[in-house]
mmCIF file of all heavy atoms in Angstrom:
data_model
loop_
_atom_site.group_PDB
_atom_site.id
_atom_site.type_symbol
_atom_site.label_atom_id
_atom_site.label_comp_id
_atom_site.label_asym_id
_atom_site.label_seq_id
_atom_site.Cartn_x
_atom_site.Cartn_y
_atom_site.Cartn_z
ATOM 1 N N GLY B 177 96.553 104.406 62.399
ATOM 2 C CA GLY B 177 95.659 103.503 63.032
ATOM 3 C C GLY B 177 95.153 103.985 64.392
ATOM 4 O O GLY B 177 94.557 103.332 65.217
ATOM 5 N N LEU B 178 95.331 105.289 64.736
ATOM 6 C CA LEU B 178 94.917 105.882 66.019
ATOM 7 C C LEU B 178 93.609 106.611 65.751
ATOM 8 O O LEU B 178 93.374 107.068 64.595
ATOM 9 C CB LEU B 178 95.969 106.665 66.686
ATOM 10 C CG LEU B 178 97.220 105.927 67.233
ATOM 11 C CD1 LEU B 178 98.228 106.928 67.652
ATOM 12 C CD2 LEU B 178 96.832 104.990 68.339
ATOM 13 N N PRO B 179 92.738 106.795 66.772
ATOM 14 C CA PRO B 179 91.581 107.533 66.527
ATOM 15 C C PRO B 179 91.799 109.094 66.277
ATOM 16 O O PRO B 179 92.649 109.681 66.929
ATOM 17 C CB PRO B 179 90.726 107.351 67.817
ATOM 18 C CG PRO B 179 91.656 106.810 68.860
ATOM 19 C CD PRO B 179 92.853 106.215 68.076
ATOM 20 N N ALA B 180 91.017 109.597 65.373
ATOM 21 C CA ALA B 180 91.097 111.046 65.049
ATOM 22 C C ALA B 180 90.958 111.950 66.280
ATOM 23 O O ALA B 180 91.503 113.052 66.388
ATOM 24 C CB ALA B 180 90.109 111.466 63.980
ATOM 25 N N ASP B 181 90.074 111.420 67.253
ATOM 26 C CA ASP B 181 89.766 112.236 68.365
ATOM 27 C C ASP B 181 90.845 112.353 69.391
ATOM 28 O O ASP B 181 90.774 113.094 70.391
ATOM 29 C CB ASP B 181 88.443 111.616 69.134
ATOM 30 C CG ASP B 181 87.218 111.974 68.299
ATOM 31 O OD1 ASP B 181 87.189 112.801 67.488
ATOM 32 O OD2 ASP B 181 86.211 111.174 68.585
ATOM 33 N N VAL B 182 92.020 111.749 69.160
ATOM 34 C CA VAL B 182 93.138 112.022 70.022
ATOM 35 C C VAL B 182 93.569 113.499 69.950
ATOM 36 O O VAL B 182 94.031 114.002 70.933
ATOM 37 C CB VAL B 182 94.400 111.063 69.529
ATOM 38 C CG1 VAL B 182 95.716 111.594 70.144
ATOM 39 C CG2 VAL B 182 94.085 109.679 69.978
ATOM 40 N N VAL B 183 93.412 114.123 68.879
ATOM 41 C CA VAL B 183 93.698 115.486 68.680
ATOM 42 C C VAL B 183 92.408 116.239 68.140
ATOM 43 O O VAL B 183 92.109 116.071 66.976
ATOM 44 C CB VAL B 183 94.856 115.845 67.842
ATOM 45 C CG1 VAL B 183 95.147 117.384 67.735
ATOM 46 C CG2 VAL B 183 96.179 115.167 68.306
ATOM 47 N N GLN B 184 91.712 116.990 68.941
ATOM 48 C CA GLN B 184 90.558 117.650 68.603
ATOM 49 C C GLN B 184 90.858 119.120 68.627
ATOM 50 O O GLN B 184 91.476 119.657 69.489
ATOM 51 C CB GLN B 184 89.356 117.339 69.496
ATOM 52 C CG GLN B 184 88.838 115.914 69.386
ATOM 53 C CD GLN B 184 87.659 115.675 70.218
ATOM 54 O OE1 GLN B 184 86.516 115.948 69.772
ATOM 55 N NE2 GLN B 184 87.823 115.221 71.468
ATOM 56 N N LEU B 185 90.156 119.915 67.693
ATOM 57 C CA LEU B 185 90.254 121.329 67.672
ATOM 58 C C LEU B 185 88.925 121.868 67.922
ATOM 59 O O LEU B 185 87.999 121.588 67.186
ATOM 60 C CB LEU B 185 90.895 121.787 66.316
ATOM 61 C CG LEU B 185 91.058 123.371 66.079
ATOM 62 C CD1 LEU B 185 92.158 123.902 66.954
ATOM 63 C CD2 LEU B 185 91.300 123.572 64.596
ATOM 64 N N VAL B 186 88.706 122.803 68.930
ATOM 65 C CA VAL B 186 87.467 123.415 69.201
ATOM 66 C C VAL B 186 87.020 124.168 67.960
ATOM 67 O O VAL B 186 87.773 125.020 67.452
ATOM 68 C CB VAL B 186 87.506 124.272 70.492
ATOM 69 C CG1 VAL B 186 86.103 125.007 70.606
ATOM 70 C CG2 VAL B 186 87.908 123.599 71.630
ATOM 71 N N PRO B 187 85.796 123.818 67.324
ATOM 72 C CA PRO B 187 85.590 124.346 66.094
ATOM 73 C C PRO B 187 84.923 125.792 66.020
ATOM 74 O O PRO B 187 84.421 126.228 64.996
ATOM 75 C CB PRO B 187 84.551 123.300 65.453
ATOM 76 C CG PRO B 187 83.862 122.825 66.657
ATOM 77 C CD PRO B 187 84.868 122.826 67.853
ATOM 78 N N THR B 188 84.866 126.388 67.202
ATOM 79 C CA THR B 188 84.339 127.731 67.266
ATOM 80 C C THR B 188 85.356 128.571 68.026
ATOM 81 O O THR B 188 86.087 128.227 68.873
ATOM 82 C CB THR B 188 83.005 127.663 68.008
ATOM 83 O OG1 THR B 188 82.727 129.123 68.430
ATOM 84 C CG2 THR B 188 83.044 126.951 69.348
#
Side-chain angles (χ1 to χ4, degrees):
Chain B
L178 290 172
D181 285 342
V182 166
V183 178
Q184 296 181 82
L185 181 69
V186 177
T188 165

